[in-house]
Amino acid sequence: MKILVNGTEKELEAIGVNGIEWTNDLLGNYDALHYNNDLEEYIMTEEEFAWWEPVVETLNKINALETALDEEAREEYEAECWPSDLDDEVNAKLEWLENHEA
């Protein structure tokens, strides 16, 4: 998804386990999409983009690692209690997955 950040076009791309790009849904769910009708572009501040970029990259890593979980590991993973803040949640999930790779 292309986003205008302080006049510079940048890209965020969240890819789900099924290969579907879902950045628009992700950002929309967190009210992080701001559409400028005059520019006909989605826009973000540099600070917003700097926060979202590593979160989206981590979500992509998580999606790739989740597919490799066996049934027992998936049950354990799904039973975990994750932090409520998105950035903390994705970091905790990635750490868990990296520590439980087959």
Side-chain angles (χ1 to χ4, degrees):
M1 164 176 222
K2 296 194 183 317
I3 300 170
L4 199 60
V5 180
N6 296 337
T8 303
E9 192 174 86
K10 297 188 177 188
E11 191 163 334
L12 286 176
E13 189 173 67
I15 306 296
V17 291
N18 53 7
I20 295 188
E21 198 273 339
W22 64 290
T23 316
N24 195 349
D25 292 333
L26 172 65
L27 298 176
N29 287 341
Y30 288 92
D31 200 28
L33 283 178
H34 315 291
Y35 190 78
N36 183 310
N37 287 322
D38 294 334
L39 299 173
E40 297 183 350
E41 297 251 13
Y42 287 104
I43 60 171
M44 276 187 180
T45 65
E46 189 67 45
E47 294 80 20
E48 289 171 318
F49 190 85
W51 189 89
W52 277 103
E53 188 175 36
V55 168
V56 169
E57 289 173 1
T58 303
L59 282 168
N60 289 336
K61 290 176 189 173
I62 288 168
N63 286 334
L65 292 171
E66 284 176 337
T67 61
L69 292 176
D70 62 26
E71 188 175 330
E72 183 179 327
R74 178 162 297 283
E75 286 177 13
E76 185 180 341
Y77 178 72
E78 291 175 356
E80 285 289 324
C81 293
W82 306 111
S84 59
D85 291 329
L86 181 61
D87 54 342
D88 293 335
E89 177 186 348
V90 297
N91 289 326
K93 283 183 172 184
L94 181 61
E95 182 179 346
W96 191 97
L97 288 162
E98 288 176 338
N99 289 329
H100 291 80
E101 284 187 87

